[in-house]
Amino acid sequence: MLSRLKFVPMRLLQAVPVAFGVTLVVFFMVHLIPGNPAESILGAQATPAKVAALTDQMGLNQPVVQQYWHFLSNLAHGNLGESYTYQVPVLTLVWQRAPVTLLLVAYSVVLMLIISIPLSMLAASRPGHVRDHAVRVIPLVGLGMPQFWVGVMLLLVFAVGTGWFPVGGYGDTMMDHLWYLFLPALTLAISISPVIIRSLRASMLNVLESDYVATARSKGAGGRSLFAGHVLRNAIIPAVSIVGVNLGYLVGGTLVIEKVFAIPGLGSMLIESIFARDFPSVQAVALFVAVFVVLVGVLTDVVYTLLDPRVDLTQRMNA
Amino acid sequence: MSAAEQPAAVLEVREVTKRYGHGRRDTLRALDGVDLTLHRGEILALVGESGSGKSTLAKILAGSTSQTSGQVLCDGVEITARRHSTARRRIQMVFQDPYSSLNPRMTVRSALSEVLRVHRVVPREQIAEELSRLMSLVGLDDSALDAYPSQFSGGQRQRIAIARALAVRPDILIADEPVSALDVSVQATILDLFESLRSELGLSVLFIAHNLAVVQHLADRIAVMYLGRIAEVAQTDTLFASPEHPYTQALIASVPRMRPRDLEQPPALDGEPPSPIHLPTGCRFNPRCAYAQPTCLIDEPALERVAEGHSVACWFAGQLQQAPTKQSEEFA
Amino acid sequence: MSVVALSRTVEPLLSVQHLTIGIPSSGGGHATLVRDVSFEVGPGVRYGLVGESGSGKSMTLKAIAGLLPRGVEVLEGEIHFDGDDVLTMSPHERRRIMGPRMAMIFQEPMTALNPTTRVGKQIAEGPRRHLGLSKADAQELAVDMIRRTGIPDPARRARAYPHELSGGLRQRIMIAMALSCKPALVLCDEPTTALDVTVQDQVLRLLAQLCDDMGSALTFVTHDLAVVSQTCSRLSVMYAGRIMEEGNVREVYEAPQHPYTEALFQSAPDFDDPGRRLAPIPGLPPSLTDPPPGCPFAPRCQYAIESCSTGSKPLVEVRHRHLSACDLADQIFGGTR
Amino acid sequence: GCASSSTKSGGASKSAGAPVHGGNLTIARAQDAKSMNNILTFDNSSIFIFEQIMEPLFTVTADGKATKPLLATGYKVSADKKTYTINLRKGVKFSTGKEMTSADVKFSIDQDTKHASTGWGFINSAIQQVQAAGKYTVVIKLKHAWAPLIADLALFSNAIVPNNYDGKTMAEFYQAPVGTGPFKWGQWKRGEYLKLVANTGYWQKGKPYLDSVTWNVVPDSNTRKLQVQGGQADIDEYPDWSTFKSLGTGSNVIAKTFPSTELDYLAFNEKKKPFQDVHVRRAISAMIDRSAINKAVLFGNGTPANSLLMPGVPFYQKSTPGIMKNDALAKKELAASSVPKGFSTTLLIPSGDASKLSTAQIIQNDLQQYNIKVTIKQLDPTANHNAQQNMQYDMGLSAWTMDIPDPDEWTSFAIDPDGGAKSAYTNYRSAEAIKLNRQAQQSVDHSTRAELYNQLQDVVAHDAPFAFLYYAPYAYGVSDKVQNFNVTPLGNYPLTDVWKSK
Amino acid sequence: MTTFSLTHRFRPSRREARPAARRLRPWYQNRSLVAGLVIVCIMVLLAVLAPVLAPYNPIKQNLNEALQGPSGAHWLGTDKLGRDVLSRLLYGARVDLRIGFLAVIIPFVVGTILGAIAGYFGGWLDIIIMRIVDVFYAFPLFLLVIALVFVLGPGESSIYLAIALVSWVSYCKIVRGEVIVARQQEYVQAARLGGLNNARVLGRHIGPNVISQAITYAMSDIVMDIMVIVTLGYLGLGITPPTAEWGSMIADAQEFITTLWWMAVVPGVAVVITGLGLSLIGDGLTDLLSPERRK
Ligand SMILES: Nc1ncnc2c1ncn2[C@@H]1O[C@H](COP(=O)(O)OP(=O)(O)OP(=O)(O)O)[C@@H](O)[C@H]1O
Ligand SMILES: Nc1ncnc2c1ncn2[C@@H]1O[C@H](COP(=O)(O)OP(=O)(O)OP(=O)(O)O)[C@@H](O)[C@H]1O
Ligand SMILES: [Mg+2]
Ligand SMILES: [Mg+2]
């Protein structure tokens, strides 16, 4: 089993150029912004002399390549700079907030699966039937409803209306977190589940029509034992990569969700720091998110390999 | 045989090997030193088990992939995969699956005239005429020209694929299992077509198949491949009458016949070919060979001539009794 | 070949009567894939269904096993197995016989095995369900079945995933799986088409031998006339969803009683008769949505006369236990009746 | 007295009874604080918090128009108005337990003055020297007579911190600042919450009533509203006007407004054509329907603005003839202007501010009637700020609130082009206005100042460097459990007297 | 034990001839496609005819009638500035459909071309293109678009540019995968062996057979783009007011979610219906253009 994971180091190695590209994007993202960053930082107190001094201090008048090199070498030392807003190292902020977002994303993946699997099973079990169409069409409504609207509606009904859940916030203990994050994770899950349900349904149909399911039927398997023993696992395998591919979307969703639900995660930090022109923070969050997405890509491959004995990723490496 | 009688070779394959794979340990030797000659105007059949490298050889000949080492000579001139369009024209290929070998979105007319135009086979104004000629050549009606592939049956599609190959007026046709996907009732028409193309156009055909009964009907000569090497080459009658290689013998014995056979009998051959990644030492057939001797485990036999036009790669060619002396224990 | 001599008084194991399979469509013009097919298979008999691609062999078999694809339905007819009408069975009852009484082997061993489950477990699934074996016992039985298919080192092979095995081994696993509950009837859909001749030979022998050992009857679908001649004692020749001819293998091969069968033999290369010229069958099979009246083969038949294109053409006995759907069988082939 | 008005009658009058000790006050706010440094920090979300920790010598009265002693007990002014002798309150202790003395005061004010270039120190520009004359006496010498001094000392940047930061560096100190205030430093999870706990040794005995105060960051206004309604928060710091009224209906929340010193105005950039033309400015001022804005944006909670000064500021003159919507005037002025046929221009607003967006659209609509085509340009707040500072805009929407109870802070900013802000970035230059403002700064006599500021207001109203739009009150959504919560016109809300009923 | 699946390829089974299924159904019998086309056509028609159909000027304010519920005069009520919601909805369709379609075109073309090149030629070209794709893929779409629009300043052209810069990667990935599959097809090999040059093989033989996936994806991409506009509106980076546009209508309604919650629903429903129509077209096209891939 483990020998099949020998691709992981290679795969990680392959992520290096990607990570490098990510730093480029992150670096130039800030340098694209019109105007002088120093001016933005100084804000109300900007005088030409102070701007010049800060420009100098930040090395903004050096050639771009040199600045990038500087950025990289600082990065190598784990130094991403200080938040302009809070005047603390951005890394501290990111470490404080990353777990929140990771928990939120993981939570929503779980909820998404809880929503999507039964629904897609329902649809796949009778293709073309009313319930199939219903399952395929109704979630589309979720796709067209903006996340902030869905979020506030959930708050109105399940937090203010019934008092079952808190109105935003994060809480202190793990149990608290799970309780506080339920509605935001649900909002995210709802927003992505149409895509997932469609793909899962399609892969379930594929599996249901496959020869090995016919074989299982010819052995007298049926109903639940057929689903649990033969359909689910094989249908989940493509779902894993679908989830992997859509992870970026989920992470992107946290930008809005965290704002709506007052969650102190990376998404809200990013929005805040973009608007505050807190460039080191923007860079740090973008970098973290990108690296996270890349790593999840690797993780998806691992899970894929563990679930599907057929894949030999050493063979797919160059793809 | 005197020089005058010696049929001219149009295509010669010398010591061709093909390796797949990147790692040093994981290389797969799809072809491992193949020698083969295709004579002008003959139908040479290539048979062998799945994975023995037949298609790989076909692709090398047609120029869609290049060999790892060795030479391919066309009329004595070496050709490679990157060949000039005139050289490319000379050798054409017909594929196995008539369903995927035609572009579903092009009518027969556009598919054929495209080739004619690109290669300037005939002047522009004669294209229509040429199309009719091609259609009649493969036994189809002109009305078929404006249909899409989906409107044809498998046999008809295969004819269209052959027409496309013939459009550039090749000398050599490589047919990779052109009838394997067809029903027997249709298969016969395609076999007929090959027969007539050879006799009327003088085409040289390399015909790849796995069905010995088909090959027996069509081919002038037969080459038997095993795990990336030629095991035996002979005239069709010779091969079936006196197969020399134990694998050829087993292959012939395995062919299902129209008359009953005692199924209680053990099969002619045990096991399946080993992986081309981990080839056995010595003769590559030795794990399944009923006659294997110690020599066979050490040295690989070369393809040697045992008679006029009959070559065999076996240490004991010509000396084998029909009864097996050793039951193979090795399996897969 | 003692099975051939079985007398007709023995209750057939499988009896298919007037089976019609089609795709019902609300807009009319529905396709009929199999039309009025009837045949019987006695206990222990090896029965072949031959015919060209699309002639409805697989559909007939799938209808028997209750595995018709979505949208395809049995429109008419009955299928009795062990005296019970399997078409009216509840899914639950159906599942009770699938495995211990009736088993199926598919054409593509690659796709017919669950890619994510070890083959031993897949074999053990049936015995666990139907024979009530414990997990360990079922696993042991699975290993034993693998051994009986002649695969060396069965315990190790049982732990393999399907993709780790070659095609021949996979098909043996399929056979082990089908026979693990000692079924009375094994349904095979072209089990060797995907295999090389040498391996096909091995597998066919194994199949026949195991069926004999267990006393299982076999219903064997193939398009290869030679394969059926080597495996079966009795056969039906299907064309365009109908049975054209039924009889004992020897008799059909020696004296076909239907022009289609004859044409089929003439178009197939015979290994033992290399000199014979192959004669293709001209034309195409008829459309399934809009079949011609009368004999479906009439448009391609060299003997066809006007009356061939009208009326129904039932299977009639033209010789002893040799049935043909051709009106003119007597005239053409000089039947003795 | 309590100056609050309430949209929910009876809510405020709910008998408070005797104050109860204990409890945590939760305030939901849109933005986190940025820094606790009281001399360098400009944003209100930070200021409102560190004001609870560090107290100045004087403070603002509840009506926001005067000062009263806090850590001081009183002061004397010399005859030349250039020396102030201030007596300190005895027995005031920092939350560390150390007593506050004149050394701390000198250090604190000097520290503020020292950072004039990067912080609030400019406010002390009149101060020549601070002397610790005795343990409880501080003498401040001025460069020239300076009327707003006591008001300046009441500013949070002059709040008293321990001498020499108790041996810490400035940065270290402000990580967990120490002061004499009712609350002391608790915990700060940036982006999530900031918590202060009661200073048990507070010099006002028995206060504060609350055990702790937590400011939670809740960026979305709907969520903030739902939090107070659901009881998860006690105070909604920035309710939307659009839902303000509904905040108080049918729940235990009171929608409160407090008189403010907020003026919302439309600034004209006189560096850009045609805004140098006073007729154009006056014409546009006369085109804007202020009551419509008040209705659509403030839902009737504000008042149309008529003056440079706000009603909550001393010397505001109610009769100032600020231009209101007046079709005839608009037509007349436009005809007299350099662009009688109308023109095209842009209106800059910060993005993400729904009120400003609506205001801008109404102005756009109003001006269109006179053939002035306005394109709304949205920039993120920081870029918006920069564009204004660099005078890269045509018209812009801005607002001002006072930090000290003296008009000078604003007038100097708004009409003195040499005050560093180019007349609130309009480049408005009126010799008369500048003169009036200078005189008012240096005159200590109340009625003289009143007269000067009256004239100033008239001049500015006529010149219309800004189109005054409206005065908006402060809005808060407050749980009915919270007692004594008051906001001064300057925007700060001392929590010393606040308590929560059970 | 570790044999590779490649070493055991099988002779492809004889394809089951399915005359019943082989014949392509004409497009108008495809229910999803027809339903989707009808919906989208109606939307487009409403957008085109907005000047005729809309009862009011979409940016005309009437503050005396602000925030009204549906009535005879205003079928869908009025917004905060007293503008007629129905008229804004109709005019909004023009903007949103335009942005949706236009924003998809450039990424579609660029992504398809690059994906085809990467998939067809493979090798270094493939590696380089795909690494670039990976880099872009690492950033969530919203993150990059928001950051870019922020950088470029709000407005329609920034939105086009930001979306174009970001979303070509999806097309590139999809098309590359399809091309790699198609390249193995025998008809493509036949075309190459027939001596056709690469451009011709790609354009004539591979292109038409792989484009359907990209088109299908484009349908859902349009919905995504509309959602991006909506979200940008929420963050105050959307279309310049007072232009009527669904995203800003939803964003404007945001203030009233807790009181007049239906204000966001009206434009939301428009987005949903459009999305539904486009998805149905996508479904239909999948069926129609790739019968072998029928789900
Ligand atoms: N592109 C490839 N990459 C790696 N291995 C390959 C590739 N193509 C073929 N092979 C391997 O090369 C060997 C020879 O394959 P080839 O297709 O030539 O066999 P074949 O004789 O044509 O078999 P079949 O009868 O199944 O068509 C097989 O083991 C096959 O798995
Ligand atoms: N899932 C399906 N839906 C609709 N029609 C089908 C389906 N499967 C097969 N058919 C049609 O049913 C007819 C009979 O098919 P069947 O599979 O029984 O043929 P067969 O004799 O087994 O052919 P082959 O030798 O190709 O396997 C064919 O015409 C085929 O097109
Ligand atoms: Mg091959
Ligand atoms: Mg079949």
Side-chain angles (χ1 to χ4, degrees), chain C residues 186-199:
Chain C
V186 180
L187 306 169
C188 299
D189 192 353
E190 312 209 22
T192 58
T193 315
L195 305 178
D196 284 309
V197 266
T198 55
V199 183

Side-chain angles (χ1 to χ4, degrees), chain C residues 189-223:
Chain C
D189 192 353
E190 312 209 22
T192 58
T193 315
L195 305 178
D196 284 309
V197 266
T198 55
V199 183
Q200 163 171 296
D201 191 40
Q202 298 163 9
V203 168
L204 286 179
R205 284 167 201 273
L206 173 72
L207 185 62
Q209 185 195 331
L210 283 179
C211 282
D212 281 359
D213 287 356
M214 299 195 171
S216 307
L218 196 62
T219 303
F220 194 102
V221 161
T222 180
H223 66 278

Side-chain angles (χ1 to χ4, degrees), chain A residues 140-310:
Chain A
L140 279 179
V141 175
L143 206 61
M145 283 283 150
Q147 290 170 337
F148 60 82
W149 190 84
V150 174
V152 172
M153 285 300 126
L154 288 178
L155 280 181
L156 267 180
V157 176
F158 295 106
V160 180
T162 63
W164 293 344
F165 295 100
V167 186
Y170 183 57
D172 294 316
T173 61
M174 191 62 195
M175 282 316 290
D176 264 9
H177 296 339
L178 291 181
W179 185 50
Y180 274 83
L181 290 184
F182 181 81
L183 290 180
L186 185 66
T187 312
L188 263 182
I190 287 177
S191 74
I192 196 159
S193 54
V195 183
I196 305 293
I197 287 176
R198 286 174 153 242
S199 326
L200 260 181
R201 172 187 171 278
S203 65
M204 287 211 188
L205 273 185
N206 269 340
V207 172
L208 282 174
E209 280 166 11
S210 70
D211 286 355
Y212 57 83
V213 166
T215 307
R217 288 214 173 96
S218 80
K219 284 189 281 185
R224 213 178 306 145
S225 70
L226 185 69
F227 246 99
H230 298 274
V231 178
L232 201 56
R233 175 151 180 204
N234 289 295
I236 281 286
I237 291 169
V240 168
S241 42
I242 294 162
V243 172
V245 166
N246 285 295
L247 205 92
Y249 179 85
L250 278 182
V251 175
T254 62
L255 297 186
V256 171
I257 298 286
E258 288 184 1
K259 179 170 184 227
V260 171
F261 287 92
I263 298 164
L266 290 176
S268 49
M269 175 171 168
L270 186 80
I271 296 275
E272 263 171 45
S273 36
I274 283 185
F275 281 96
R277 306 240 154 170
D278 185 352
F279 300 133
S281 298
V282 175
Q283 286 181 328
V285 176
L287 201 63
F288 183 90
V289 166
V291 168
F292 172 70
V293 172
V294 170
L295 287 181
V296 167
V298 179
L299 187 73
T300 312
D301 284 352
V302 171
V303 174
Y304 205 100
T305 315
L306 294 182
L307 280 178
D308 188 345
R310 284 167 299 184

Side-chain angles (χ1 to χ4, degrees), chain B residues 54-56 96 176-177 208, chain E residues 9:
Chain B
K54 306 182 294 291
S55 299
T56 305
Q96 166 174 9
D176 190 359
E177 310 213 19
I208 297 174
Chain E
R9 279 178 329 121

Side-chain angles (χ1 to χ4, degrees), chain A residues 27-28 31 55-56 58-72:
Chain A
F27 176 77
F28 281 102
H31 285 255
T55 307
D56 210 47
M58 290 170 68
L60 289 173
N61 40 14
Q62 290 169 347
V64 175
V65 180
Q66 202 170 329
Q67 287 186 45
Y68 179 57
W69 174 244
H70 215 77
F71 173 72
L72 277 189

Side-chain angles (χ1 to χ4, degrees), chain A residues 45, chain D residues 39-42 112 115-122:
Chain A
Q45 303 97 56
Chain D
I39 57 181
L40 296 180
T41 307
F42 286 80
D112 187 22
H115 289 86
S117 63
T118 47
W120 285 95
F122 63 85

